[in-house]
Amino acid sequence: MNPNKALWEKGDFTEIAALMRQSGEAVVKSLGLTPPLRVLDLGCGDGTTAVPLARMGAEVVGIDIARNLVEAGNKRAAEAGLDRLTFQEGDACNLAGVEDHSFDLTLTVFGAMFAPKPFEVAREMVRVTRPGGRIVMGNWIPSDPTSFVSQLLKISSSFTPPPPEGFVSPMTWGVESHILERFGQAGVPKEKIAMAKDTFHFISPDKSPAQLVECFRQFYGPTMNAFAAAQKDGKVEELHQQLLELAKAQNQSSNGGTSIPATFLRVTVCP
Ligand SMILES: C[S@@+](CC[C@H](N)C(=O)[O-])C[C@H]1O[C@@H](n2cnc3c(N)ncnc32)[C@H](O)[C@@H]1O
C-alpha cells in the first residue's frame, strides 16, 4: 500500500474539515473568479473549497488520494445537487489521464503539499493548467509559530520515529526558495510566482480547544500516528499536553468554542 495514501485513509479528515468550511469559502471568494471556468481542486478532501467553487458556477474536478474522502466528496456533491462537481481518486505526483492544459485554475489548499514528490507535483500542476491560467496553493509555513497546523505537525513528528531516508517534509512547500526551485524546474520563471501570507481559521462554536485536540487525535492520520508512537514510549500524556497548550494558546474564542487563526503561505503561479 502507498504510505501516502494509507496515511490519509487512516483517519477521517471530514471531521477536521468541518471546522474549515468558513475559510474554505473565503479562499474561493478571494480568488475573484468569473465563470465559466474549469477548476481542478487537488488534494481536495471532501470538498471544503471544491463545493463553494461549484456553487459559484465553475465546473470542478476534485482529485484526492484518499478513497474515503473521494466518496465523502461525491456524497456532498450529490446532496447539494452540484452536478458539475465530481471527485475522483488520483495522486498529485502523477495525474495520469488528466489532459494537458485542461484547467483554467488549479487550486490546492493544504492538499498537494502532502504529496511525497514535490518536483513531480509542480510539474503536473503546470502541465494540466492552461497557459494564461492560474495555480493557487495554500501551504502551511514551518518557521511560523502562528501557522497552527505546522506547529501541530512539528509536535506530532517529535513523538514519531524518524521518517525513511529520502522523505521530503511537506512543510518545505511553505519555504519560498523551495517553491521557486520546484516551479522553476517545471519551466515557470520566478517573475510569474507570487507569495503572500494569509490567514485560515479553524472554527467551531461548540468544540473547545480540548475537543479539537481530541478530534485531531482520533481522526487526523499524522496525529493518530504520533499518539500510537507515544503510546509505545509511554509519552501519551506529554504529547497530549503539548497539543493542548498549542490549541489553547492560539484559540481566540471567548465563549467556550474554538476559533484558531492559522497563518499560511498563498502561492500564485501564472504559467
Ligand atoms: C489537510 S487535507 C486538506 C483537504 C482539503 N483541501 C481541505 O482544505 O479541506 C490534505 C488532503 O490532501 C490529500 N492528499 C495527500 N496526498 C495526496 C496526493 N499525493 N495526491 C492527492 N491528494 C493527496 C489527502 O488525502 C487530504 O484529503
Side-chain angles (χ1 to χ4, degrees):
M1 168 65 120
N2 173 345
N4 176 220
K5 184 175 169 67
L7 177 71
W8 290 97
E9 287 181 352
K10 183 178 185 133
D12 180 1
F13 190 76
T14 64
E15 296 282 342
I16 315 289
L19 285 81
M20 298 169 71
R21 304 298 192 213
Q22 265 173 264
S23 280
E25 280 177 28
V27 166
V28 168
K29 254 193 204 146
S30 73
L31 295 172
L33 303 171
T34 322
L37 81 167
R38 259 196 113 222
V39 183
L40 169 63
D41 190 335
L42 195 53
C44 55
D46 67 346
T48 292
T49 43
V51 166
L53 279 164
R55 283 213 171 101
M56 53 147 285
E59 181 188 337
V60 186
V61 178
I63 293 186
D64 199 283
I65 201 158
R67 185 191 36 79
N68 53 333
L69 298 177
V70 167
E71 273 171 22
N74 278 323
K75 187 162 173 267
R76 288 186 76 211
E79 282 167 3
L82 294 167
D83 54 11
R84 282 157 54 85
L85 166 60
T86 53
F87 292 82
Q88 63 191 57
E89 258 183 78
D91 186 340
C93 302
N94 179 358
L95 295 171
V98 180
E99 279 182 31
D100 293 359
H101 307 154
S102 51
F103 292 99
D104 301 293
L105 168 70
T106 297
L107 176 67
T108 179
V109 178
F110 320 126
M113 66 174 289
F114 289 103
K117 297 177 186 161
F119 284 93
E120 276 91 330
V121 170
R123 196 189 56 217
E124 283 295 75
M125 291 196 292
V126 171
R127 179 182 71 75
V128 302
T129 308
R130 73 167 169 79
R134 246 192 302 175
I135 300 166
V136 178
M137 297 186 84
N139 299 335
W140 300 120
I141 309 171
S143 55
D144 187 333
T146 67
S147 191
F148 175 66
V149 176
S150 80
Q151 300 308 302
L152 179 132
L153 288 170
K154 189 173 167 187
I155 294 171
S156 299
S157 63
S158 71
F159 286 81
T160 39
E165 216 183 301
F167 174 81
V168 182
S169 165
M171 293 303 133
T172 52
W173 272 113
V175 179
E176 297 195 8
S177 56
H178 287 292
I179 293 163
L180 294 178
E181 190 189 10
R182 289 163 189 177
F183 282 109
Q185 279 207 14
V188 183
K190 67 173 192 288
E191 303 73 48
K192 294 192 165 191
I193 304 171
M195 301 180 215
K197 283 193 177 181
D198 202 338
T199 306
F200 206 89
H201 292 85
F202 289 83
I203 296 174
S204 172
D206 51 14
K207 271 194 174 66
S208 65
Q211 288 168 310
L212 173 82
V213 169
E214 199 47 41
C215 205
F216 274 91
R217 179 178 179 163
Q218 278 186 40
F219 299 114
Y220 186 64
T223 319
M224 293 165 76
N225 283 349
F227 273 100
Q231 178 82 45
K232 281 190 194 142
D233 297 341
K235 290 185 171 173
V236 165
E237 198 41 41
E238 201 181 318
L239 170 58
H240 183 251
Q241 272 312 319
Q242 287 189 23
L243 293 177
L244 192 57
E245 267 167 41
L246 173 74
K248 280 184 173 170
Q250 311 259 318
N251 187 29
Q252 291 187 349
S253 167
S254 52
N255 60 6
T258 295
S259 176
I260 294 182
T263 308
F264 70 98
L265 190 64
R266 181 193 282 244
V267 182
T268 306
V269 179
C270 299

